[in-house]
Amino acid sequence: MLRADGLGALDIERFWWILFGISAAVFAIVLGLMMVALARRHRPVPADEAAGKHPEDEPAWGGSFILFSGVVVPAIILAGTFGLTLHEMNVLSSPGHHAAMTITVTGHDWWWEARYPGGAITANEIHIPTGEVVRVRLLTADVIHSFWVPQLQTKTDMIPGRTNETWLETGQPGRYRGQCAQFCGLQHAHMIFYVVADPPDTFATWLAGQAQPAPPPTGALATAGEQIFTTQTCAGCHAIRGTSAAARIGPDLTHIASRQTIGAGVLDNTAGNLAAWITDPQHAKPGADMPPTDLTPDQVQALVAYLQTLN
């Protein structure tokens, strides 16, 4: 979690070490001066001072030293760190070169939607190509959220009525956990997403597949599941491109079988967890908008069989 793999996170890490070095140096100097003062305090008292006489030959540099070390040096350090902070904020707010693509991410209570050029839509899982800058447009559908992938980039708030932007770039393929960093309600801690960094060829293949509509179901059980999905309450909230289900209240499920988790990172995407989620999502994620279902166990089984065909 703490290993920086993105260029933005590496900038933050480098900046942190610079500030830590400055702080450690200041601490060491102040500690050294305190030790010198304590040593001088315990030195033998000259006879004239013991007799109540104060010598007139106090160090002439005492006042200048206090002015230099107490005012000039702190002012230089603070001004330098302030300027460096502004420079790093500017670097982090805008990529150094043009982005290869733009992804629009919308925060909902309590899940994430990502829309790509070409029509691909995912939920709680954002794929990016390695070695390329990806601009991320950040929106919110309800309250304030905050987009944060600690290993790749600093956090950016998502404000109602505004569009903020951040960017992601990494040369390391892998899966990086993201988290809403702004308290947004009961399930804030379970508003998780993953950024999956793929080599460019793998990403291009993935993106082309995600832009396609759902394939027709094969087999009687999956076909029955599609019928249940499009005629029962499921279609009232979710979309599956290629079918009559086109609602946008809940996540787009066109390629749900290709995702690694469900419920915004709450459960692994397995048949058992999917059935449990459909039956009673409030058990796994109390407060979620999705209500318990009144489908029979056989209907849930058919529905799960259908959803697992949506790769």
Side-chain angles (χ1 to χ4, degrees):
M1 175 66 79
L2 297 180
R3 188 186 73 248
D5 276 343
L7 293 190
L10 288 170
D11 278 337
I12 297 170
E13 183 182 47
R14 182 177 63 253
F15 185 51
W16 184 90
W17 278 111
I18 292 174
L19 294 181
F20 178 78
I22 294 173
S23 301
V26 170
F27 176 78
I29 292 172
V30 171
L31 184 62
L33 292 175
M34 291 178 62
M35 294 179 66
V36 170
L38 289 173
R40 287 174 60 85
R41 179 182 175 85
H42 292 88
R43 76 184 192 283
V45 180
D48 54 351
E49 290 187 27
K53 300 178 180 178
H54 299 286
E56 298 178 355
D57 57 344
E58 291 287 346
W61 48 267
S64 300
F65 176 77
I66 293 175
L67 177 64
F68 180 77
S69 61
V71 177
V72 176
V73 172
I76 293 174
I77 293 175
L78 291 175
T81 54
F82 179 69
L84 188 59
T85 300
L86 292 180
H87 171 73
E88 290 298 325
M89 290 175 64
N90 182 58
V91 170
L92 291 172
S93 64
S94 58
H97 48 281
H98 296 295
M101 67 180 302
T102 299
I103 302 172
T104 299
V105 175
T106 303
H108 300 258
D109 272 347
W110 295 277
W111 58 281
W112 307 83
E113 179 186 68
R115 292 178 174 266
Y116 298 75
I121 305 172
T122 64
N124 310 313
E125 193 171 292
I126 302 169
H127 285 243
I128 62 173
T130 56
E132 298 180 359
V133 177
V134 175
R135 179 182 292 110
V136 184
R137 297 176 69 245
L138 298 172
L139 309 171
T140 175
D142 34 59
V143 300
I144 298 175
H145 300 285
S146 191
F147 181 88
W148 188 31
V149 192
Q151 287 182 261
L152 300 182
Q153 184 56 283
T154 184
K155 67 178 182 179
T156 303
D157 286 346
M158 310 161 85
I159 310 296
R162 292 192 55 177
T163 300
N164 288 339
E165 290 190 352
T166 186
W167 57 276
L168 302 172
E169 183 179 6
T170 179
Q172 299 295 325
R175 189 177 81 153
Y176 302 95
R177 174 172 167 155
Q179 172 72 47
C180 179
Q182 173 66 45
F183 180 73
C184 55
L186 179 62
Q187 289 297 326
H188 160 70
H190 288 158
M191 193 170 170
I192 301 164
F193 65 98
Y194 289 95
V195 174
V196 180
D198 297 318
D201 291 345
T202 303
F203 173 77
T205 302
W206 174 88
L207 185 60
Q210 294 288 317
Q212 299 298 315
T218 57
L221 191 61
T223 301
E226 183 194 38
Q227 182 69 15
I228 293 168
F229 188 94
T230 54
T231 59
Q232 299 292 327
T233 55
C234 311
C237 295
H238 298 281
I240 294 181
R241 283 168 280 140
T243 73
S244 60
R248 295 182 56 179
I249 298 175
D252 184 299
L253 303 181
T254 303
H255 296 287
I256 183 177
S258 67
R259 299 169 193 164
Q260 300 176 12
T261 65
I262 57 176
V266 171
L267 298 172
D268 290 335
N269 190 4
T270 65
N273 286 339
L274 197 54
W277 177 265
I278 293 170
T279 302
D280 186 11
Q282 300 299 318
H283 178 75
K285 199 164 186 174
D289 287 342
M290 184 172 170
T293 183
D294 55 1
L295 298 176
T296 67
D298 288 343
Q299 289 176 314
V300 171
Q301 183 182 5
L303 190 55
V304 170
Y306 170 57
L307 294 176
Q308 287 196 302
T309 67
L310 302 178
N311 285 303

